[in-house]
Amino acid sequence: GAVVSQHPSRVICKSGTSVKIECRSLDFQATTMFWYRQFPKQSLMLMATSNEGSKATYEQGVEKDKFLINHASLTLSTLTVTSAHPEDSSFYICSARQGVGYTFGSGTRLTVV
Amino acid sequence: GESVGLHLPTLSVQEGDNSIINCAYSNSASDYFIWYKQESGKGPQFIIDIRSNMDKRQGQRVTVLLNKTVKHLSLQIAATQPGDSAVYFCAESWVNTPLVFGKGTRLSVIA
């Protein structure tokens, strides 16, 4: 079945630094990927839709200059959290659409100290 | 019993009993619905899906019911096991838009 690999699974960084999270579709091509953020004991909130070869579409309230998304190939989308702050600490999850289905990565736990 | 916590409602069931998890979705135009299971620190795991032209779909030990009139979705788990303990989310989509997730319910199975 469709597999989405997300790395790293866990990262700790200092305030002010940037962190890159990768999302790869391993056995299929994904023209569209999605990035979600999840705070403890809450649901997944869509941050942005990543489109291969074009600019990402951000949801209302998500700063595009802070959360940089690059979808340079049909199997890789990256999310870079720039100038991270403690309030950016969260669980970030990517998803790729294959046909009518959606496959999720295993998530990245970001802790900003 | 069911209780509403600070963020996630919790459903506690005895092992072997059936579980029913409910979800109210937001968009009457939604045509595709999915139930996901999420364990701590992991991504969502697909359980079962249903399209809007159906009102019931069965899988192994799970059944999804869709009531479009009241925009309600439910997940029934038969003979609940300790391994079913997790947070369950419903998600909706329409015309291939991104999935929008519901608030989630924590299922706690009492051995």
Side-chain angles (χ1 to χ4, degrees):
Chain A
V3 177
V4 170
S5 175
Q6 185 174 342
H7 292 282
S9 58
R10 191 179 293 268
V11 58
I12 301 173
C13 71
K14 293 184 178 180
S15 288
T17 62
S18 296
V19 173
K20 180 185 285 187
I21 302 170
E22 293 188 348
C23 181
R24 295 180 184 272
S25 56
L26 295 186
D27 48 3
F28 65 101
Q29 293 182 332
T31 56
T32 303
M33 292 186 177
F34 308 98
W35 287 96
Y36 292 83
R37 180 168 54 183
Q38 185 178 31
F39 292 109
K41 298 184 179 180
Q42 294 189 25
S43 186
L44 284 76
M45 296 300 296
L46 181 68
M47 298 175 66
T49 299
S50 171
N51 303 297
E52 188 270 335
S54 65
K55 291 183 178 181
T57 304
Y58 290 83
E59 294 300 299
Q60 191 173 8
V62 178
E63 300 175 58
K64 62 180 181 180
D65 294 330
K66 180 168 186 61
F67 299 99
L68 301 179
I69 291 173
N70 184 286
H71 194 156
S73 78
L74 288 171
T75 59
L76 175 64
S77 175
T78 61
L79 168 68
T80 301
V81 182
T82 63
S83 187
H85 290 285
E87 57 264 31
D88 297 324
S89 298
S90 188
F91 193 54
Y92 293 86
I93 308 170
C94 70
S95 173
R97 183 162 58 208
Q98 184 192 28
V100 298
Y102 301 81
T103 302
F104 285 82
S106 54
T108 297
R109 171 75 60 196
L110 171 62
T111 303
V112 184
V113 298
Chain B
E2 183 173 331
S3 63
V4 177
L6 184 62
H7 295 291
L8 286 176
T10 299
L11 176 66
S12 298
V13 298
Q14 291 285 341
E15 181 180 358
D17 287 352
N18 297 333
S19 303
I20 300 176
I21 301 171
N22 297 303
C23 174
Y25 63 91
S26 60
N27 192 334
S28 57
S30 293
D31 60 2
Y32 183 51
F33 306 87
I34 310 175
W35 277 101
Y36 286 96
K37 173 185 180 182
Q38 187 181 31
E39 296 175 301
S40 181
K42 297 182 179 179
Q45 175 188 351
F46 174 91
I47 299 174
I48 191 168
D49 60 357
I50 188 169
R51 294 213 161 268
S52 59
N53 60 351
M54 303 174 68
D55 53 20
K56 180 179 180 179
R57 190 158 188 236
Q58 288 184 293
Q60 186 177 13
R61 274 203 313 122
V62 294
T63 301
V64 55
L65 299 177
L66 174 62
N67 186 330
K68 295 182 287 294
T69 303
V70 295
K71 294 191 291 187
H72 183 268
L73 200 64
S74 70
L75 175 70
Q76 300 177 5
I77 303 174
T80 312
Q81 303 168 358
D84 295 326
S85 294
V87 177
Y88 290 81
F89 293 98
C90 66
E92 61 184 299
S93 174
W94 56 97
V95 196
N96 288 330
T97 57
L99 285 176
V100 174
F101 282 78
K103 294 183 178 180
T105 297
R106 180 176 301 280
L107 176 64
S108 178
V109 181
I110 304 166

